[in-house]
Amino acid sequence: MKVLITGGYGFIGSHVAERFYKEDDEVFIIDNMETGDKHNISFKHKNYHLSVEDPNCEEIFKAIQFDVVVHLAAQVSVAKSFENPITDTESNIVGLVNMLTLSQKYKVKKFILASSAAVYGKNDQLPLLEENQCVPISPYGISKRVGELYCQKWSEMYGFESVCFRFSNVYGPRQNSNGEGGVVSIFINHMLEGKALQIYGDGEQTRDFIYVGDIADAIYRASHSSISGVYNLSTNKKTTINEVVSILKKMHDEVNIHFSPAREGDIDHSVLSNRKVMDDLDWSPIYDIELGLEKTYQWAVVDQAQKEVAVSVADQTEKAKEWTHIIQPFKAYLENLVVFLIIAWLVLSHRLSVFNATDISAFYIMIMGALYGSKQSILSVGLSIGLLIVEKLSEGREFVSLLYDTSFFFQVSLFLFIGLVVGYTVQRKTNRLQEQQQKIDELKQRYHFLGGIHTEVREIKDELQLRLLNTEDSFGKIYSIVKELDELEPEKVFSNAVQVVQQIMDAEDVSIYVFNKNQTFLRLVANTNFLETSHKNSMKVEDTGYIQNLLGTGGIFVNKELLPNTPIMAAPVYHNDQISAVIMIDRLNFQNVSLYHENLFKVTTELAGSALDKALSYIDAIEADRFIANTDVLKQDVFQKILESKREAREKYGMPYVVLEGENPDTDTDLGAYSTKLSALLRETDYIGQLDNHQVGVLLSNIHQNDVQFVLSRFYEKGIQMRLKEGEI
């Protein structure tokens, strides 16, 4: 089962989604993420980041044929509804109407609306029953009541099945601190944070607290039931605020309480009767207040610990990043300096035995240049030259004498040469590596970009495939339905064609009329609603304006002016490059009278017409084999197939027919003359054939029994004796 949950990332929505998922249903979520949290759901599902009032929601309904819609998305704060009633209306009324309309349009089997006890207002008739008067005192309560009325009206107008659950005060894991229903969440959060619990009034005000798990279970049960209408969803038990605090004290010893004056407008007592939902749904709440609060508290403790760990790790990571950011620019210089100090100590303390000072300095310059490039190699050269000067001076040399010492200049030159060559070489390599890394990064970005596009295209492809397979007016469904037209008997094609057009166009009335040879008359050959509507069995072309229009243009006729006694749409069917029949639809939903459905009708009738043209061409090709030689009498097997098609059309649509039986002439010559005589008295839609008893039969299409006597009398006047064999209506 495919279930759409609006507001599915919210407190209640996530529990409802989890309940359906555990039952192996496919879960889809629409959420604008204003209050929802994706971390509330960890299982596989499909989500859409949209507001419920967004027109783009229709694309989702088109692509996926939902079985159940659970509408939980709403603005839930009573205080905010006073501050901004327009926003409250957009979310709670406009959004609901959008979901309700789309659910009805796309054949959702069950629509479940989350309403609220706020619809009752200040009502002292406790416990509150569904039949009690609703006088909401807040814009939030008004919007919820209006939502219920919309569901009721949709049920009256369209027979659309919906359930409206009036929640009492819901609590449980994942609840935030918004709204009156969040009092449990507020208390537990304050307890864990060491804050005082704020109680307005004396704490003896009562509420009907219901655990969120019981809410999810009731919604799941309702999706598989036949109930509809308005139901309270509650425990039918009063619980004071002081009792809630007392239970929480048992779980958390140190609890400070602060009493404040009662808030204006607060309801003192509230409890909803759940007798109706218990009787009709066979449901009852499982969690009492003690067990529900214990589970909520345990979850909150774990959640807070996880948040604290996450915050601590994030702080440590951030500090480490800051310290690293400060040290990083000076890291190479510090390492260079440490290495130089070690070398200086070795040189000046005369601890070198294998290498002399020049060798170790040259090696030091090479290492620094190889590791860090030209900057550090030049710095190493400078430090090495300084160390060389200090070493010479420590041996008793004068600084001026060094300016004339060729060995000193050779050593300095060696240091510079090594530093410049190694530094340049390494720097060049480093630059090339950086260029390559930059190219790699660019390619990675391009890869990620193309990967994102690929994923998006795959999702669109999958969605289009879903449309093709599931959407009522998709070409995928057209293709699957039109397979029924894969017949070679025209009468069978007529019967199936009206069914195909009816299913695709969602029209109550579909008819097919065929022209006579000179296109002056049309005869009715198939209709989907024959018994409930009156149809002309034949029409004269010169008396029918829209048929003349259709013959003149050769295209689809659309009754845009809503002319009386005229179908909504009519399309020609061609055979041998000539209009041979007309497909008409009537009693179409007004919302389907559009250019889109006009094009859909054109495609559908072309496919049906193609099937009929193929069947007629086949009949033309084998016509000689269908008749007894030199007669107009169909062979027994051919006549029986046509008769079976007529029987099927009568069973499906109530299309009447009559079979008359006559006597066979003595010779084939007499049979040919006899059949010619019969043909002159019949219409284009009637047939002469051999019955299973080898007698000659006449099949009269679309004729009532009260007209049979008139036909028999006509035959009698021409010397033809016949009797009724089959055709009760």
Side-chain angles (χ1 to χ4, degrees):
M1 187 170 72
K2 295 179 180 178
V3 183
L4 173 65
I5 302 171
T6 67
Y9 287 127
F11 160 48
I12 299 176
S14 61
H15 285 275
V16 173
E18 195 173 70
R19 182 70 168 86
F20 278 100
Y21 177 76
K22 286 179 179 179
E23 300 296 336
D24 205 26
D25 293 320
E26 292 184 64
V27 175
F28 300 80
I29 289 175
I30 292 179
D31 202 310
N32 63 4
M33 302 307 296
E34 286 189 7
T35 57
D37 185 351
K38 282 197 173 184
H39 294 98
N40 284 341
I41 292 182
S42 57
F43 53 82
K44 183 181 178 182
H45 65 287
K46 180 70 174 177
N47 67 87
Y48 304 92
H49 189 175
L50 285 173
S51 296
V52 288
E53 62 268 22
D54 195 319
N56 290 324
C57 290
E58 181 163 8
E59 297 303 318
I60 302 171
F61 278 81
K62 276 185 181 180
I64 305 163
Q65 295 291 292
F66 297 116
D67 298 295
V68 176
V69 171
V70 182
H71 184 56
L72 300 172
Q75 191 292 116
V76 297
S77 171
V78 174
K80 287 183 179 179
S81 73
F82 279 106
E83 295 170 5
N84 196 340
I86 294 177
T87 301
D88 184 84
T89 301
E90 287 177 352
S91 178
N92 294 3
I93 297 179
V94 178
L96 164 68
V97 173
N98 191 34
M99 291 295 103
L100 198 57
T101 302
L102 293 174
S103 297
Q104 182 270 325
K105 181 177 180 180
Y106 293 99
K107 306 296 187 295
V108 170
K109 297 181 180 68
K110 177 79 76 173
F111 186 90
I112 300 174
L113 171 66
S115 187
S116 169
V119 301
Y120 291 111
K122 289 188 175 181
N123 193 324
D124 298 329
Q125 301 177 14
L126 302 180
L128 293 166
L129 303 172
E130 288 84 352
E131 296 78 19
N132 287 146
Q133 185 179 13
C134 294
V135 187
I137 59 176
S138 66
Y140 170 73
I142 294 171
S143 66
K144 286 298 182 181
R145 179 56 182 151
V146 171
E148 294 177 354
L149 294 175
Y150 266 105
C151 289
Q152 179 184 341
K153 188 55 63 178
W154 251 244
S155 177
E156 294 172 1
M157 292 191 301
Y158 306 111
F160 183 67
E161 193 170 291
S162 63
V163 180
C164 302
F165 282 128
R166 292 173 179 169
F167 298 161
S168 58
N169 296 82
V170 188
Y171 71 97
R174 306 174 199 154
Q175 187 178 28
N176 57 34
S177 302
N178 297 328
E180 184 183 82
V183 65
V184 171
S185 175
I186 293 171
F187 280 179
I188 292 177
N189 287 341
H190 282 190
M191 286 166 50
L192 296 177
E193 294 171 3
K195 298 179 181 178
L197 307 188
Q198 189 84 12
I199 298 178
Y200 296 95
D202 58 5
E204 288 304 307
Q205 58 267 42
T206 61
R207 294 293 182 267
D208 189 340
F209 292 102
I210 182 170
Y211 186 70
V212 67
D214 288 326
I215 293 284
D217 183 58
I219 289 174
Y220 175 77
R221 285 171 175 261
S223 69
H224 288 79
S225 73
S226 59
I227 69 168
S228 62
V230 176
Y231 290 87
N232 290 332
L233 208 52
S234 65
T235 62
N236 197 18
K237 293 180 181 178
K238 297 179 182 179
T239 303
T240 67
I241 302 301
N242 288 333
E243 287 173 338
V244 172
V245 173
S246 176
I247 295 170
L248 292 176
K249 278 184 176 180
K250 297 176 183 178
M251 307 173 198
H252 196 90
D253 295 333
E254 297 181 6
V255 178
N256 297 318
I257 303 172
H258 179 72
F259 289 91
S260 299
R263 293 178 296 190
E264 186 178 354
D266 277 359
I267 298 172
D268 292 331
H269 302 286
S270 175
V271 61
L272 308 185
S273 170
N274 60 9
R275 179 54 53 191
K276 182 180 177 183
V277 71
M278 289 177 69
D279 291 342
D280 293 358
L281 192 59
D282 192 25
W283 167 91
S284 63
I286 298 174
Y287 299 88
D288 58 22
I289 188 68
E290 289 84 1
L291 180 57
L293 287 177
E294 182 181 353
K295 290 178 72 67
T296 306
Y297 178 81
Q298 290 174 352
W299 174 86
V301 170
V302 174
D303 183 63
Q304 188 188 51
Q306 290 175 343
K307 287 180 178 177
E308 288 176 354
V309 170
V311 170
S312 176
V313 171
D315 289 343
Q316 291 178 6
T317 303
E318 190 64 31
K319 289 178 180 178
K321 286 182 178 179
E322 291 178 1
W323 181 248
T324 302
H325 184 70
I326 294 172
I327 295 296
Q328 190 64 34
F330 305 101
K331 181 181 177 182
Y333 293 96
L334 291 173
E335 291 179 354
N336 194 340
L337 183 59
V338 170
V339 173
F340 171 74
L341 292 175
I342 294 173
I343 290 173
W345 175 72
L346 293 173
V347 170
L348 297 178
S349 62
H350 304 288
R351 294 180 180 273
L352 295 172
S353 58
V354 179
F355 301 101
N356 58 35
T358 302
D359 293 335
I360 195 66
S361 295
F363 182 72
Y364 157 65
I365 294 170
M366 290 175 63
I367 292 298
M368 289 296 107
L371 290 175
Y372 299 111
S374 59
K375 287 185 178 180
Q376 296 305 317
S377 68
I378 296 300
L379 176 61
S380 301
V381 169
L383 293 173
S384 297
I385 292 173
L387 177 60
L388 180 60
I389 293 173
V390 171
E391 183 190 12
K392 296 294 183 181
L393 294 177
S394 66
E395 293 175 354
R397 301 283 298 274
E398 295 288 338
F399 181 77
V400 176
S401 66
L402 296 178
L403 299 177
Y404 302 100
D405 188 344
T406 55
S407 63
F408 172 76
F409 279 106
F410 173 77
Q411 290 174 309
V412 170
S413 300
L414 178 64
F415 292 164
L416 285 172
F417 176 77
I418 294 173
L420 290 173
V421 171
V422 174
Y424 172 77
T425 303
V426 172
Q427 190 63 48
R428 185 181 177 189
K429 180 182 177 182
T430 302
N431 291 339
R432 292 187 65 182
L433 288 174
Q434 288 177 347
E435 289 175 1
Q436 293 298 323
Q437 186 61 45
Q438 186 176 356
K439 289 181 180 179
I440 291 172
D441 293 340
E442 290 175 356
L443 289 173
K444 282 183 178 179
Q445 290 178 359
R446 182 174 176 79
Y447 171 78
H448 288 306
F449 176 73
L450 292 175
I453 291 178
H454 173 72
T455 302
E456 189 173 336
V457 169
R458 285 297 302 271
E459 289 178 354
I460 293 173
K461 176 177 175 287
D462 293 342
E463 200 160 305
L464 286 174
Q465 286 179 338
L466 283 173
R467 283 198 196 185
L468 292 176
L469 292 173
N470 299 325
T471 306
E472 286 196 7
D473 52 3
S474 71
F475 290 103
K477 187 164 185 178
I478 291 175
Y479 176 75
S480 64
I481 294 174
V482 169
K483 284 183 179 178
E484 299 178 16
L485 297 175
D486 194 15
E487 297 284 347
L488 293 176
E489 179 57 55
E491 286 294 336
K492 188 74 172 177
V493 175
F494 285 139
S495 177
N496 289 352
V498 291
Q499 180 181 358
V500 166
V501 175
Q502 183 185 42
Q503 290 184 13
I504 293 175
M505 296 301 300
D506 196 21
E508 295 184 31
D509 198 321
V510 180
S511 306
I512 296 181
Y513 284 82
V514 297
F515 284 99
N516 62 355
K517 291 181 180 180
N518 54 11
Q519 291 188 328
T520 57
F521 275 92
L522 294 105
R523 306 285 186 188
L524 180 65
V525 293
N527 178 262
T528 58
N529 209 14
F530 189 85
L531 294 179
E532 297 183 14
T533 56
S534 58
H535 292 85
K536 295 180 180 179
N537 290 338
S538 62
M539 293 187 293
K540 200 172 183 180
V541 173
E542 64 180 22
D543 296 335
T544 314
Y546 69 91
I547 295 296
Q548 295 177 37
N549 176 283
L550 187 142
L551 288 172
T553 62
I556 290 179
F557 166 80
V558 181
N559 188 6
K560 296 181 180 179
E561 298 178 0
L562 300 180
L563 300 172
N565 302 319
T566 304
I568 296 297
M569 294 183 192
V573 175
Y574 286 85
H575 176 57
N576 293 334
D577 298 325
Q578 184 178 8
I579 297 177
S580 61
V582 178
I583 300 178
M584 305 176 186
I585 60 173
D586 211 348
R587 300 174 68 183
L588 185 68
N589 289 335
F590 183 77
Q591 62 190 15
N592 290 351
V593 183
S594 64
L595 181 60
Y596 172 77
H597 287 85
E598 181 181 336
N599 292 332
L600 185 63
F601 181 56
K602 181 176 183 295
V603 172
T604 307
T605 53
E606 284 178 353
L607 289 169
S610 175
L612 183 58
D613 180 60
K614 180 178 69 173
L616 292 174
S617 298
Y618 172 76
I619 297 301
D620 292 343
I622 65 167
E623 185 172 10
D625 297 329
R626 287 166 58 88
F627 293 91
I628 297 174
N630 302 317
T631 71
D632 293 332
V633 181
L634 292 166
K635 292 179 180 179
Q636 182 180 336
D637 59 335
V638 177
F639 190 68
Q640 285 301 317
K641 287 182 180 179
I642 296 174
L643 185 55
E644 285 299 323
S645 298
K646 291 295 184 183
R647 288 169 180 162
E648 184 179 338
R650 182 181 64 180
E651 184 178 343
K652 283 185 178 179
Y653 313 120
M655 291 290 295
Y657 71 92
V658 166
V659 178
L660 303 177
E661 182 182 16
E663 298 291 338
N664 275 351
D666 296 332
T667 65
D668 291 344
T669 304
D670 291 339
L671 181 60
Y674 180 67
S675 64
T676 302
K677 194 175 182 180
L678 276 174
S679 296
L681 299 173
L682 300 177
R683 303 165 298 179
E684 294 82 356
T685 55
D686 299 329
Y687 299 90
I688 306 170
Q690 191 176 50
L691 299 172
D692 51 6
N693 58 6
H694 300 291
Q695 299 295 317
V696 172
V698 172
L699 175 58
L700 303 176
S701 302
N702 191 20
I703 186 171
H704 293 280
Q705 266 193 323
N706 53 9
D707 295 325
V708 173
Q709 199 59 44
F710 172 74
V711 174
L712 290 174
S713 63
R714 283 188 62 197
F715 286 167
Y716 182 76
E717 290 174 0
K718 300 296 182 179
I720 301 172
Q721 296 285 344
M722 285 207 162
R723 58 186 174 275
L724 179 64
K725 179 176 176 60
E726 179 182 341
E728 290 78 16
I729 301 172

